[in-house]
């Protein structure tokens, strides 16, 4: 498992220490699966406002456990689900880190995380700080399954994997966009730079993903959706502020010899794989712009050929995409289809079924042992979007692999 020595979270978030949550725990006595629902620290939104924050030390099940699922959604102060056309959940990422116990009180008081914290990432290969999370989706959260079949689980809290003097903890990286009154809801949730009230010196002081000055040709995406910026509103529109939270539900089991551990990989369709001698570098960009090409009905296709240093048996796969997606497919080196993830679009008004929005992505549950990815195999990730101009598009594929199968 790789360790991030210097964090630069994907959305360049503001740091907030979590002070408390609300939760309830249930136990399924038949298969010993525990379930808990938590509520994160709240944050304030208003018409057009962008919120991009990190909440450290979130509530998470204690002990040596195997996580079976992790689901989340936006809720208001009364616990009501918030529809995407009011506040769009761009993404939420759950990220693991180890905190030096001797520094805990200093960090809590000073909010200074530059000392005493090591960030640990998933098993994916994107360089440095990019895509380090273990779970994370966006507007499709309510309709995308994260359940892992028995006896498989993702192992956490193993004392032998935690450095001496450190404690395993978790944080949320969240971006939410309040689109009430927005001049263009679609442009707002795509973070179109010209539809945001950007500071005059924005392009002079903003760095891109490679720490270079942001190009004037950058039309939209994460770098224009900074915390506390605002989408342009319709003339004369006024609306109240309100507080929202991320409500999340985790299912887990206490770890024992009956559990089979899974490795979790994030593959990115923007991965520009290159080599430096014998070293393979995964130069992921995390987002991309889709230009409209003529009046063709053919979808926009983006591909990446990604070598897997370590393989395994595919147990579960799905993708994180944005509205406008047609599908995402992962192929083996021989061209066989490993998994295709397809979208579900809403048809109504209620939360989880918002008309025109991406509200879910399908997952793959192959029979354990039926699909094996070999060590060193080169996978091809292909993502397809509708042929329309789009900024900030994402194409992540999530796969859980087992190095061994149960007896």
């Amino acid at each position: 498992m790789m360790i991030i020595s210097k964090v630069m979270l994907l959305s360049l978030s503001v740091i907030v220490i979590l002070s408390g949550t609300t939760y309830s725990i249930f136990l399924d006595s038949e298969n010993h699966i525990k379930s808990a629902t938590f509520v994160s620290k709240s944050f304030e939104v208003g018409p057009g406002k962008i919120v991009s924050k990190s909440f450290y030390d979130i509530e998470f099940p204690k002990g040596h456990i195997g996580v079976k699922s992790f689901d989340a959604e936006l809720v208001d102060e009364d616990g009501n689900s918030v529809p995407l056309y009011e506040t769009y959940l761009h993404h939420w990422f759950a990220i693991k880190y180890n905190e030096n116990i001797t520094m805990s009180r200093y960090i809590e008081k000073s909010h200074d995380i530059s000392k005493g914290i090591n960030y640990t990432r998933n098993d994916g290969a994107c360089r440095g700080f990019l895509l380090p999370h273990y779970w994370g989706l966006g507007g499709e959260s309510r309709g995308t399954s994260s359940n892992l079949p028995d006896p498989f689980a993702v192992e956490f809290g193993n004392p032998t994997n935690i450095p001496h003097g450190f404690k395993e903890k978790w944080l949320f990286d969240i971006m939410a966009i309040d689109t009430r009154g927005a001049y263009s809801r679609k442009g707002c949730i795509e973070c179109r730079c010209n539809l945001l009230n950007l500071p005059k010196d924005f392009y002079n002081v903003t760095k891109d993903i490679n720490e270079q000055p942001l190009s004037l040709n950058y039309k939209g995406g994460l770098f224009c959706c900074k915390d506390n910026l605002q989408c342009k509103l319709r003339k004369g529109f006024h609306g109240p502020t309100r507080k929202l939270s991320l409500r999340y539900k985790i299912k887990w089991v206490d770890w024992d010899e009956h559990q089979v551990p899974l490795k979790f990989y994030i593959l990115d369709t923007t991965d520009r794989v290159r080599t430096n001698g014998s070293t393979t570098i995964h130069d992921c960009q995390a987002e991309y712009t889709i230009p409209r090409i003529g009046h063709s009905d053919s979808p926009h296709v983006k591909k990446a050929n990604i070598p897997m240093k370590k393989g395994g048996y595919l147990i579960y796969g799905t993708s994180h995409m944005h509205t406008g997606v047609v599908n995402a497919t992962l192929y083996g080196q021989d061209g066989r289809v490993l998994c295709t993830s397809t979208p579900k679009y809403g048809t109504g008004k209620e939360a989880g079924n918002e008309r025109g929005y991406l509200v879910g992505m399908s997952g793959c549950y192959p029979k354990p042992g039926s699909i094996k990815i070999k060590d060193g195999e080169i996978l091809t990730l292909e993502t397809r979007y509708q042929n329309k101009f789009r900024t900030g598009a994402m194409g992540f594929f999530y796969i859980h692999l087992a190095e061994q199968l149960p007896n």
Side-chain angles (χ1 to χ4, degrees):
M1 191 171 298
M2 298 179 63
I3 295 178
I4 306 172
S5 60
K6 181 179 180 181
V7 68
M8 286 181 59
L9 298 180
L10 186 57
S11 61
L12 308 179
S13 304
V14 173
I15 297 162
V16 179
I17 299 297
L18 182 64
S19 59
T21 60
T22 302
Y23 64 92
S24 53
I25 299 179
F26 301 94
L27 173 64
D28 185 334
S29 59
E30 183 176 344
N31 55 17
H32 304 288
I33 295 179
K34 299 177 182 179
S35 174
T37 300
F38 307 91
V39 179
S40 76
K41 181 181 176 70
S42 65
F43 50 88
E44 186 175 87
V45 298
K49 184 179 178 181
I50 295 168
V51 173
S52 180
K53 298 187 181 298
S54 294
F55 296 145
Y56 280 72
D57 196 14
I58 65 171
E59 289 285 350
F60 196 87
K62 307 298 183 184
H64 188 186
I65 63 171
V67 175
K68 304 287 291 181
S69 67
F70 195 130
D71 302 303
E73 66 164 338
L74 278 183
V75 295
D76 63 19
E77 289 183 284
D78 297 321
N80 299 313
S81 299
V82 178
L84 296 173
Y85 53 79
E86 291 183 2
T87 301
Y88 181 75
L89 181 56
H90 184 279
H91 71 258
W92 61 271
F93 295 152
I95 301 169
K96 186 176 72 166
Y97 65 98
N98 293 322
E99 182 179 283
N100 189 320
I101 297 173
T102 62
M103 299 291 292
S104 296
R105 179 161 294 189
Y106 165 79
I107 293 171
E108 182 178 356
K109 288 184 176 181
S110 67
H111 295 189
D112 176 13
I113 62 162
S114 62
K115 302 175 182 178
I117 286 181
N118 292 326
Y119 297 84
T120 63
R121 61 170 302 133
N122 59 67
D123 298 287
C126 286
R127 62 187 171 91
F129 61 90
L130 280 174
L131 309 182
H133 54 286
Y134 282 85
W135 291 275
L137 293 168
E140 78 277 27
S141 294
R142 295 185 180 106
T144 303
S145 172
S146 66
N147 293 321
L148 298 173
D150 291 333
F152 302 99
V154 184
E155 182 184 11
F156 297 107
N158 186 339
T160 62
N161 295 333
I162 302 173
H164 179 70
F166 283 77
K167 185 176 182 180
E168 187 176 276
K169 292 188 175 185
W170 290 83
L171 68 90
F172 271 141
D173 180 60
I174 301 172
M175 181 187 290
I177 306 171
D178 191 322
T179 60
R180 291 175 296 162
Y183 177 79
S184 168
R185 272 199 172 100
K186 180 179 182 296
C188 185
I189 66 175
E190 291 181 9
C191 300
R192 299 271 184 90
C193 303
N194 65 333
L195 294 174
L196 287 153
N197 292 317
L198 300 178
K200 291 183 179 180
D201 61 348
F202 177 79
Y203 283 94
N204 293 330
V205 300
T206 304
K207 304 292 186 181
D208 66 13
I209 202 167
N210 298 309
E211 287 298 298
Q212 299 300 312
L214 192 66
S215 170
L216 292 174
N217 293 322
Y218 184 81
K219 301 301 181 183
L222 291 168
F223 294 99
C224 282
C225 268
K226 297 292 189 74
D227 187 48
N228 284 324
L229 291 182
Q230 186 181 42
C231 292
K232 294 178 180 179
L233 301 178
R234 299 192 303 270
K235 187 176 181 179
F237 183 88
H238 298 282
T241 61
R242 59 177 178 172
K243 291 187 177 181
L244 306 180
S245 300
L246 196 69
R247 182 168 62 199
Y248 57 108
K249 182 177 182 179
I250 303 174
K251 293 183 180 180
W252 75 96
V253 294
D254 292 328
W255 194 265
D256 59 29
E257 70 276 11
H258 302 297
Q259 313 307 318
V260 177
L262 294 178
K263 299 289 187 180
F264 175 62
Y265 297 82
I266 298 179
L267 309 180
D268 182 10
T269 193
T270 69
D271 190 350
R272 303 183 300 193
V273 180
R274 52 189 171 88
T275 58
N276 183 5
S278 60
T279 302
T280 300
I281 300 171
H282 293 264
D283 190 10
C284 304
Q285 302 298 298
E287 63 175 0
Y288 59 104
T289 295
I290 298 174
R292 180 177 176 86
I293 302 175
H295 299 283
S296 172
D297 292 330
S298 299
H300 176 275
V301 180
K302 192 169 185 63
K303 294 183 180 182
N305 296 318
I306 305 171
M308 294 288 291
K309 184 176 181 180
K310 187 73 173 176
Y313 297 97
L314 179 62
I315 303 301
Y316 174 64
T318 190
S319 62
H320 169 51
M321 309 285 285
H322 289 174
T323 296
V325 60
V326 175
N327 60 42
T329 301
L330 187 64
Y331 297 92
Q333 189 166 335
D334 60 359
R336 71 195 189 284
V337 175
L338 303 180
C339 177
T340 294
S341 182
T342 58
K344 177 184 177 183
Y345 286 95
T347 59
K349 283 190 174 183
E350 66 274 18
N353 188 35
E354 298 91 336
R355 184 183 302 277
Y357 285 85
L358 175 65
V359 296
M361 292 296 297
S362 69
C364 298
Y365 289 96
K367 181 180 177 180
S370 64
I371 296 180
K372 185 176 183 179
I373 298 170
K374 298 178 182 178
D375 293 353
E377 183 170 355
I378 299 176
L379 307 184
T380 297
L381 174 56
E382 180 180 280
T383 55
R384 294 170 176 255
Y385 275 92
Q386 297 166 1
N387 181 27
K388 296 180 180 179
F389 177 66
R390 194 176 308 279
T391 58
M394 291 184 171
F396 306 157
F397 215 97
Y398 298 163
I399 55 174
H400 288 84
L401 302 184
E403 294 183 351
Q404 62 182 20
L405 295 175
N407 295 326

